[in-house]
Amino acid sequence: MLVVLVLLTGLMLVLGYANKARCTGPEFDAAGRSEPDYDIRIDRDVCYSDIQHLWLGREINHHVFPYLNGSITPEGQLVGGTVEYPVLTGMLIWAGALFAHNDAGFLLGSALLMAPFGLLTGWMLGRLSRWRALVWALGPPLVLYAFHNWDLPVVACAVGAVFVMHGWRTERSLADRGAVAGVLLGLGFAFKLYPGAFVLPLALYVLTASRPGVLHWGAALRVALAAAGTVILVNLPFAVAGYEGWRASFTFQELRKVDLTTNSIWYWGFRPESEPDNVAFQAVINWLSPGLVMLSFAVAAAVGWWRWRRSGVFPWVAVSAAMLCGFLLLHKVHSPQYTLWLLPFFVLLQVPWRWVVGYLIVDLMMGIGIFRWFYALKTGVGIGIYEGFAAQAVAIGVWGRAALLVVLFVVFLRLPDRLADGEADSPVALTGAVRPSPA
């Protein structure tokens, strides 16, 4: 079963690379940019990749080691080698470009570095959920987004944390495994931030996983300290060696405006006030969006706590999934490849198939429609919603995805967390000793 899942995952990764590689070559200009008609082909042929695109504009083509000498201009332009991602992704970008001389070589080098993370994720999901892992191995998102950006490593870290807690065959105590999972979530934060949100539900799970009525504060604190310590240890060398360049990657995200490229409800739901040059609107979104994201996190954690009081098990995987839905819905940026973040939760939790299939359909429409619409904008043909498929697909993608994220937020919090429930019946206690199952 695991062999089949890994082979199928590998096949989809090959197809995903082939899809993006259609935009490369056959000729290259002096800077290594693909020719001819690169700007047209990436949207017309739906083969755009952030990896290939960022070959130019971030000193990647000059093989500059990231962050150390970088900075950000008052206009929000990154210079000197800084990239807009946390440091582990920055290192991955640098390594992928190490032997490349054009954007095609950069795409290939990056794909070779990331493919093992995609295969590992398929293997771990197979160990945890058996054949349901086909949702990962054969899902359209793997073809569309595996090499759209640098997301496979962070997904592997998030799934790895779940695997350590519920799939690792070891006699180590739950507290020890919680600390290891915290390290993985900290590494995930150093790749793409979002796994850092899962530290809270994981800590609450470890806190409450002792016998009924007993809260294990020391074990929960170890989870938080392991995650925070990992983040500090990874980031500290860069912050010390080049603080301005390291800080610029975060400043870039803070300054990013809601616009046509962000694919969020904030842009499409408040037209025309949501134009990037509307300073007042952008200022409101800069605090409203993160505020609502944090509120969704609090609601998810509170529902998880309520479920623990009723059942004796804190559903940390389900709460993490709901938190991710809140982030994807309410954050000011919703990039297409974020679907890879959500896909493992369709595997780990028994989400009804109608919601899985529905989300994959609207995501497919968004993933294809947005680039075809960008092509329409460039050519001036078929821009309006009554003039062609592209604009209609974007509308269905944005609002269908948003509606399903609301539904999934509720569905995740109602689903039984079979992994956590299984751990509750495990003989391995927080200290490694046998403990009774919660009443």
Side-chain angles (χ1 to χ4, degrees):
M1 179 265 300
L2 291 174
V3 171
V4 171
L5 288 170
V6 172
L7 287 176
L8 290 175
T9 300
L11 174 62
M12 299 303 275
L13 290 174
V14 170
L15 293 176
Y17 171 74
N19 178 51
K20 299 302 184 183
R22 292 183 298 121
C23 276
T24 62
E27 301 173 1
F28 303 90
D29 64 16
R33 173 62 78 207
S34 291
E35 291 185 332
D37 303 323
Y38 167 77
D39 288 332
I40 295 296
R41 291 160 55 199
I42 55 176
D43 296 323
R44 182 194 65 200
D45 300 340
V46 194
C47 54
Y48 170 84
S49 166
D50 286 337
I51 299 173
Q52 181 187 7
H53 192 70
L54 289 180
W55 169 251
L56 299 180
R58 298 291 187 270
E59 303 292 340
I60 295 169
N61 58 316
H62 295 143
H63 309 288
V64 174
F65 195 83
Y67 308 109
L68 299 189
N69 300 302
S71 62
I72 188 169
T73 67
E75 297 76 27
Q77 180 68 37
L78 293 171
V79 296
T82 289
V83 294
E84 57 266 48
Y85 304 105
V87 295
L88 288 185
T89 295
M91 294 302 298
L92 193 69
I93 292 171
W94 175 77
L98 203 55
F99 302 104
H101 304 289
N102 51 51
D103 58 10
F106 181 41
L107 177 65
L108 176 59
S110 299
L112 290 174
L113 285 176
M114 289 192 293
F117 292 99
L119 296 172
L120 177 61
T121 299
W123 181 84
M124 290 188 293
L125 289 174
R127 282 283 305 273
L128 290 166
S129 300
R130 298 188 62 77
W131 289 112
R132 194 175 176 92
L134 287 171
V135 175
W136 169 264
L138 293 179
L142 210 56
V143 175
L144 288 176
Y145 312 126
F147 306 116
H148 185 93
N149 199 284
W150 295 270
D151 289 271
L152 290 179
V154 69
V155 174
C157 286
V159 175
V162 180
F163 181 80
V164 164
M165 295 302 297
H166 305 297
W168 187 14
R169 294 175 180 173
T170 178
E171 292 301 317
R172 289 186 176 275
S173 69
L174 186 64
D176 289 342
R177 285 180 284 135
V180 175
V183 169
L184 288 171
L185 294 179
L187 291 173
F189 182 91
F191 272 114
K192 281 291 184 79
L193 301 187
Y194 85 89
F198 305 158
V199 174
L200 174 61
L202 174 61
L204 291 176
Y205 172 66
V206 173
L207 174 70
T208 58
S210 185
R211 59 185 179 275
V214 177
L215 299 179
H216 204 291
W217 291 101
L221 183 61
R222 283 181 62 190
V223 171
L225 290 177
T230 301
V231 172
I232 292 171
L233 286 174
V234 171
N235 281 272
L236 188 60
F238 294 90
V240 171
Y243 177 79
E244 188 176 357
W246 170 80
R247 183 67 180 84
S249 63
F250 297 97
T251 304
F252 179 91
Q253 300 298 339
E254 294 168 5
L255 296 177
R256 186 170 181 180
K257 297 178 179 180
V258 172
D259 62 20
L260 186 64
T261 67
T262 56
N263 306 312
S264 68
I265 61 172
W266 301 112
Y267 179 77
W268 290 106
F270 293 91
R271 301 283 300 134
E273 288 78 10
S274 57
E275 285 297 320
D277 57 1
N278 187 337
V279 177
F281 175 83
Q282 298 292 337
V284 169
I285 296 302
N286 281 341
W287 64 262
L288 181 61
S289 172
L292 290 176
V293 168
M294 297 305 295
L295 178 61
S296 73
F297 288 179
V299 169
V303 172
W305 189 263
W306 174 79
R307 284 183 56 179
W308 167 70
R309 296 294 297 269
R310 289 174 59 89
S311 69
V313 179
F314 186 89
W316 83 277
V317 179
V319 170
S320 297
M323 292 170 75
L324 182 57
C325 288
F327 176 85
L328 296 178
L329 175 67
L330 299 168
H331 189 48
K332 62 182 180 179
V333 179
H334 191 155
S335 296
Q337 76 275 6
Y338 291 177
T339 301
L340 289 176
W341 304 358
L342 188 62
L343 203 59
F345 289 109
F346 290 156
V347 177
L348 296 171
L349 298 163
Q350 298 294 322
V351 182
W353 288 111
R354 61 183 180 276
W355 303 123
V356 175
V357 173
Y359 194 89
L360 293 179
I361 289 174
V362 297
D363 177 74
L364 187 65
M365 297 187 72
M366 185 68 187
I368 295 175
I370 189 66
F371 295 107
R372 291 295 301 177
W373 193 60
F374 286 161
Y375 174 65
L377 291 174
K378 290 176 180 178
T379 59
V381 179
I383 297 174
I385 197 166
Y386 299 108
E387 300 176 39
F389 162 78
Q392 297 168 8
V394 171
I396 294 172
V398 169
W399 297 113
R401 195 170 56 181
L404 284 170
L405 285 171
V406 174
V407 171
L408 287 170
F409 183 89
V410 176
V411 168
F412 281 136
L413 291 176
R414 289 171 59 90
L415 286 173
D417 192 335
R418 62 178 184 82
L419 297 174
D421 288 343
E423 180 65 38
D425 296 328
S426 170
V428 182
L430 282 162
T431 60
V434 175
R435 64 177 172 87
S437 299

